[in-house]
Amino acid sequence: MKHTAARTRRAVLHAATHSHTGTDKPLGQPGRERRGPRTRARANHAAIRLATRVQEGLQEATRRPDRGDISTTTIIIWVAAVTGSALVAGTIAVVIAKYNGTLSGL
């Protein structure tokens, strides 16, 4: 079964409008009956936006599967940079180890 934004919207609306506790009465706090529908509407709207955004992202990934791939040139440059820095650090370590006794008197 294909997942669509309309089906998600209906599911979110259905879940937000029907109470799971079996009662739609306020919890006894003042002004609760005024804030409840507005809060549900905001949460509903946010859930719909999130579901739509995720679906658009999945459609884009399906349409352009190579999006975000790292090019071969970038990998070669990174490997060369890491190798060069390791060689420089190794050379410095060898020189310090070789001349450690001579450098200690400075």
Side-chain angles (χ1 to χ4, degrees), residues 2-80:
K2 193 167 184 179
H3 189 73
T4 63
R7 181 175 292 123
T8 303
R9 194 174 303 118
R10 282 194 304 270
V12 170
L13 287 170
H14 182 71
T17 55
H18 297 295
S19 173
H20 295 291
T21 60
T23 177
D24 289 331
K25 294 182 180 179
L27 297 176
Q29 298 171 350
R32 175 77 177 172
E33 61 277 352
R34 287 182 288 141
R35 284 191 302 234
R38 222 177 338 179
T39 304
R40 279 195 300 266
R42 284 183 188 155
N44 206 8
H45 186 66
I48 290 170
R49 277 189 318 209
L50 178 65
T52 304
R53 178 76 173 136
V54 167
Q55 183 183 10
E56 288 172 358
L58 290 174
Q59 287 174 349
E60 178 71 14
T62 302
R63 190 172 63 86
R64 294 183 355 168
D66 62 336
R67 193 184 93 197
D69 287 350
I70 299 174
S71 67
T72 306
T73 308
T74 305
I75 294 173
I76 291 171
I77 291 170
W78 274 100
V79 168

Side-chain angles (χ1 to χ4, degrees), residues 84-100 103:
S85 62
L87 286 174
V88 168
T91 303
I92 291 172
V94 166
V95 168
I96 288 176
K98 182 177 181 181
Y99 295 105
N100 194 18
L103 294 175

